[in-house]
Amino acid sequence: MPHRLAVYPGTFDPVSNGHLDVILRGSQLFEQLVVACAVNIAKEPLFSLDERLEMLRETTADLPNVKVESFTGMVVDYVRSLGGKVILRGLRTFSDYENEVQMAYANRTFAPEVETVFVCASLEESFISSRLIREAAALDGDISRFVPESVAVRLQKKAHELKGAVKKHSKGR
Ligand SMILES: Nc1ncnc2c1ncn2[C@@H]1O[C@H](COP(=O)(O)OP(=O)(O)O)[C@@H](O)[C@H]1O
Ligand SMILES: [Mg+2]
């Protein structure tokens, strides 16, 4: 049975050109793509859920089959609630591989009918991570190559807060 709907879950703190590349590829593979922004309190996101949703909506507005929603709890439960059977994730480096495969197996154990599908971003976008962007922005680095313009503006506005947040974040990681 063909899969029409895919769910792309993540923290998107903030959405990057890497995420957007995955979203574009997903929107071309599936009839409908739901970008599912996790509340993810454990990660102590820099941007609030509302801000992350707004940035995702602004930057995907030109893709009519992409919908942005938030979710709490298990990804598989959210996918099931939509009647979906596909989780979309992006793969960058070998370091992603271990975590991503572990999560895919865990999700398969919880929901055997749900398949995780991985796509690679284009090579130029594949080294971008939200953490790198937050850290570079905190050091006043030029992040315009990594995020859409509207996200860069929000990062600049947060510059002060960012400096404190990166200190706190880098301790545990
Ligand atoms: N530059 C990129 N290229 C490809 N995939 C990416 C890139 N950046 C992030 N991703 C993928 O997007 C997904 C969501 O990432 P992220 O926002 O960090 O949420 P999470 O907290 O679930 O890891 C993950 O599958 C991650 O590997
Ligand atoms: Mg991640």
Side-chain angles (χ1 to χ4, degrees):
M1 194 173 66
H3 294 308
R4 302 218 158 114
L5 174 92
V7 175
Y8 177 33
T11 311
F12 306 106
D13 184 36
V15 60
S16 72
N17 289 343
H19 291 131
L20 288 169
D21 191 291
V22 171
I23 291 171
L24 182 62
R25 286 167 199 279
S27 75
Q28 288 163 352
L29 282 172
F30 298 97
E31 259 174 44
Q32 174 140 71
L33 180 67
V34 176
V35 179
C37 194
V39 175
N40 221 338
I41 306 163
K43 274 202 168 181
E44 295 186 53
L46 172 70
F47 289 98
S48 71
L49 178 64
D50 283 344
E51 288 174 311
R52 287 181 279 138
L53 289 169
E54 262 174 48
M55 288 186 276
L56 279 165
R57 290 193 175 121
E58 279 165 22
T59 52
T60 60
D62 56 334
L63 300 171
N65 64 337
V66 173
K67 214 165 84 173
V68 175
E69 300 290 353
S70 65
F71 76 102
T72 51
M74 302 266 288
V75 171
V76 285
D77 290 336
Y78 181 65
V79 173
R80 277 175 167 164
S81 76
L82 299 178
K85 291 197 163 45
V86 177
I87 296 172
L88 181 72
R89 293 286 283 179
L91 269 186
R92 288 164 291 191
T93 53
F94 282 114
S95 54
D96 268 347
Y97 182 81
E98 200 180 338
N99 282 337
E100 291 290 337
V101 169
Q102 195 177 30
M103 206 151 36
Y105 278 124
N107 283 331
R108 180 175 288 169
T109 308
F110 298 132
E113 82 283 10
V114 174
E115 202 67 63
T116 302
V117 173
F118 295 102
V119 297
C120 296
S122 31
L123 205 51
E124 314 87 76
E125 319 295 355
S126 64
F127 69 98
I128 301 174
S129 77
S130 297
R131 185 174 58 81
L132 178 113
I133 291 163
R134 291 192 302 269
E135 291 183 357
L139 301 170
D140 302 317
D142 177 10
I143 39 92
S144 59
R145 166 68 189 76
F146 307 145
V147 291
E149 174 67 26
S150 61
V151 176
V153 169
R154 283 176 190 256
L155 276 162
Q156 274 146 20
K157 282 190 193 145
K158 281 232 182 216
H160 187 69
E161 200 178 321
L162 250 170
K163 289 182 173 104
V166 165
K167 264 192 212 138
K168 198 169 72 184
H169 272 251
S170 51
K171 271 189 207 157
R173 287 175 191 208

